[in-house]
Amino acid sequence: MTDPTADTRIPLLSEDVLSERLSGLKELVPESFTEGRIDFEKLRAALGESVEDGRERYGLSWAGKSGAIRNVQTRSVGTLTPDREGSVAFDETENVFIEGDNLEVLKLLQKGYHGRVKMIYIDPPYNTGNEFIYPDNFREGIEDYLRYSGQTDENGAKLSTTTETAGRLHSRWLNMIYPRLFLARNLLREDGVIFISIDDHEVHNLRLMMDEIFGEENFIANIVWQKRYVSNVTAQWMSDMHDHVLLYARQRENVSLSKIERTAQQLSDYKNPDEDPRGVWRAQDLSASKPYMAGQFTITTPAGKDVNPPPGRYWRCSETQYNKWIDDNRIWFGKSGTGRPMLKAFLSESSKGTTPNTWWSFDFAGHNKEATLETKALFSGASPFDTPKPIKLFKRMLKLIAGRERQEPDIVLDFFAGSATTAHAVLEMNREDGGDRRFIMVQLPEKTNNPDYPTIADIGRERIRRVIQKLNAEDEGRLPESNGSTAKQDRGFRSFRLTSSNFKVWDAENAPTDEAGLAAQLEAFAENVVPGRTEEDILYEVLLKAGLDLPLTAGVRPVDLAGQTAYSVADGLLVVHLAETINDRTVKAVAALEPQPGRFICLDAAFDGDDPLKTNTALQMRDAGIEFRTL
């Protein structure tokens, strides 16, 4: 008989990205596996001519790439602990701010946020040779991060502020960004997109890297944003006036981009010189550069003049279609009737906007000076952040990705959050159009010289607070408008901090080998919860690592289980019991809950070695159709 308590332990590590990919490959090409491992000769045979066999091949390679790939596969043992004091409306909001190394955070988000994010925007550190601050090895495992952020007693991890000579070594930058982009792709929905701000130093390498990770078929655009409106007169050669914003999709065929509103200048092109009852229109050239089927015919103007397309051009319609347009008063020959034929395009019949393009001028998407003024105004005259992006730029991106209709809110992720301009833009856009977008911000607690805001993460949290206060003050006394923009909106955020696991993790590599030392370590692990951690800390680690959907904002409420308190999560989908002891009455109370939970999780130590009670619990849960797991 199978032991019902076998394999009940929830792994404390983050999602195994490599295992997931191997499972997918095994499902697609099972014949390429021998004794559980890939047989590359069989895989090569299965793929046939699709395999690149030559030594010279197109692609991006750099020193350390194999290490960057291994970095993706290294699983995190960290967790995210709630920071209620740093939050706004913690229990009501579905917005999230995470302080921590974004590589570790992205690993921890893999289970609960896989395929759930609509839009990612990042503004990673540019490889310019100045202020490129990340731990030297660019791996930033949880121990490195804890030293860096001052959460351990050891000296802080050495930081690398690169010099002009070292800072532009492309390999170092690529090693840093590769694993983050790889993990970020997993979080996107099938209709999701990612925007990445970058300058000329790495845009060429970033394009090749994105083609490798996302597939070149999912490239949408390289947007050129005019970040300055006046030249830098001190520039040595030419004044740098632009940045790039690369736009890629998870699956481009699933993405629909919104039209952009017409400018006043574009609207002024629509007139109604013939007083057409259908309203204003603008004249469109009736000729085209490519031939149209049956598009070769002569047009006679009202003045009796025969007209053919200009040399090298063709009518854009058949003669039959042309005659229909004539009958419907859609062809214009000028007031005198002697001009070349033009097609009338009515504003009332056209779409609400125009097709977006890749040139974003400063008046269209803001500029750096505007961004600085915005932060100064928000922080009462003194900007605490040196290089913000303008809110207008973010709003342009948010408007662009309206996408398909879905019942769930769009999640916007920024894992190089800086001063949290992305969150600022999300909150303002929701107010303007009545949207229900949610944000997840991730920011390293990089040190500042500002005693009011010791880290950049402190700046980001404070900016969001101030934006919330500003919007709430502006909405006081206002009645809801037709678009719902002043209706009750989510104006809060849950703050979390990256830290080590709440549970003691056995380090097999450094375990003592002598009998006495091993016995002492086993005794220390008899109680596997780290001292000083709260029940709420443990609860959120459970939610993260149990694979609960959107775990950081799941609804949590206490429930009574025969006199013991547990937590009902996501409307009863999961029940978590974190008391240090458990008894049969508690177990029966779980099975009797309404609604009945899909899963029940408790501490393994709560059974205190009582194997019959644990077995009985597993059997009762199985009979009730409840999945039973332990920590």
Side-chain angles (χ1 to χ4, degrees), residues 74 91 122 191 207 272 291 369 372 415 468 490 511 549 555 582 616-617 621:
T74 303
D91 292 317
I122 59 170
D191 63 342
R207 276 289 301 270
N272 194 0
K369 181 65 174 177
T372 301
F415 53 88
I468 290 170
D490 186 344
D549 202 24
I582 194 169
N616 183 55
T617 301
M621 294 299 107

Side-chain angles (χ1 to χ4, degrees), residues 257-286:
L257 300 180
S258 299
K259 302 290 186 180
I260 58 175
E261 66 273 17
R262 291 182 174 86
T263 65
Q265 177 61 48
Q266 290 170 332
L267 290 172
S268 69
D269 293 337
Y270 287 85
K271 304 181 185 302
N272 194 0
D274 61 346
E275 297 184 356
D276 193 303
R278 289 166 289 195
V280 295
W281 53 268
R282 66 182 182 88
Q284 291 183 342
D285 193 347
L286 198 62

Side-chain angles (χ1 to χ4, degrees), residues 125-133 160-169 172-173 199 201-202:
Y126 293 176
N127 193 9
T128 61
N130 296 313
E131 299 181 0
F132 188 45
I133 299 178
S160 172
T161 304
T162 59
T163 63
E164 186 70 16
T165 302
R168 292 182 183 170
L169 292 175
R172 301 182 69 199
W173 190 86
D199 67 356
H201 290 110
E202 293 294 349

Side-chain angles (χ1 to χ4, degrees), residues 334-361:
K335 289 185 177 181
S336 63
T338 59
R340 298 192 60 80
M342 305 290 282
L343 178 63
K344 293 160 64 174
F346 293 94
L347 181 61
S348 60
E349 297 176 351
S350 61
S351 62
K352 293 183 179 180
T354 61
T355 302
N357 61 63
T358 58
W359 167 242
W360 289 12
S361 61

Side-chain angles (χ1 to χ4, degrees), residues 114-218:
H114 188 281
R116 299 305 301 269
V117 175
K118 170 63 176 179
M119 169 183 157
I120 296 174
Y121 170 79
I122 59 170
D123 183 15
Y126 293 176
N127 193 9
T128 61
N130 296 313
E131 299 181 0
F132 188 45
I133 299 178
Y134 266 82
D136 274 345
N137 61 9
F138 299 103
R139 184 178 63 82
E140 300 144 281
I142 188 67
E143 294 304 321
D144 297 320
Y145 166 74
L146 293 175
R147 287 194 297 273
Y148 166 64
S149 59
Q151 296 184 51
T152 63
D153 293 334
E154 299 178 36
N155 294 329
K158 180 183 177 184
L159 298 184
S160 172
T161 304
T162 59
T163 63
E164 186 70 16
T165 302
R168 292 182 183 170
L169 292 175
H170 300 291
S171 293
R172 301 182 69 199
W173 190 86
L174 294 169
N175 286 331
M176 182 274 293
I177 201 69
Y178 180 91
R180 290 162 171 80
L181 292 174
F182 187 100
L183 294 167
R185 179 185 177 275
N186 295 338
L187 302 180
L188 284 175
R189 292 176 358 191
E190 290 302 307
D191 63 342
V193 297
I194 181 170
F195 294 85
I196 309 175
S197 285
I198 196 67
D199 67 356
D200 287 330
H201 290 110
E202 293 294 349
V203 65
H204 53 299
N205 286 327
L206 184 58
R207 276 289 301 270
L208 290 172
M209 180 179 286
M210 291 296 290
D211 285 347
E212 179 176 317
I213 296 173
F214 281 74
E216 59 184 313
E217 69 277 8
N218 291 312

Side-chain angles (χ1 to χ4, degrees), residues 436-470:
D436 59 353
R437 306 167 187 86
R438 305 288 188 257
F439 63 75
I440 301 175
M441 301 291 105
V442 185
Q443 176 55 44
L444 191 74
E446 185 180 327
K447 303 298 187 295
T448 69
N449 294 320
N450 189 332
D452 295 327
Y453 311 108
T455 71
I456 293 178
D458 292 322
I459 295 173
R461 278 188 293 262
E462 180 61 20
R463 179 174 190 166
I464 302 172
R465 288 190 202 100
R466 291 179 180 238
V467 171
I468 290 170
Q469 292 169 359
K470 174 177 174 288

Side-chain angles (χ1 to χ4, degrees), residues 392-410:
K392 199 172 184 179
L393 174 65
F394 290 82
K395 288 183 177 180
R396 285 296 175 192
M397 292 184 280
L398 290 169
K399 289 178 181 178
L400 198 61
I401 54 105
R404 300 178 180 178
E405 292 295 327
R406 289 172 68 105
Q407 293 183 346
E408 63 188 71
D410 287 345

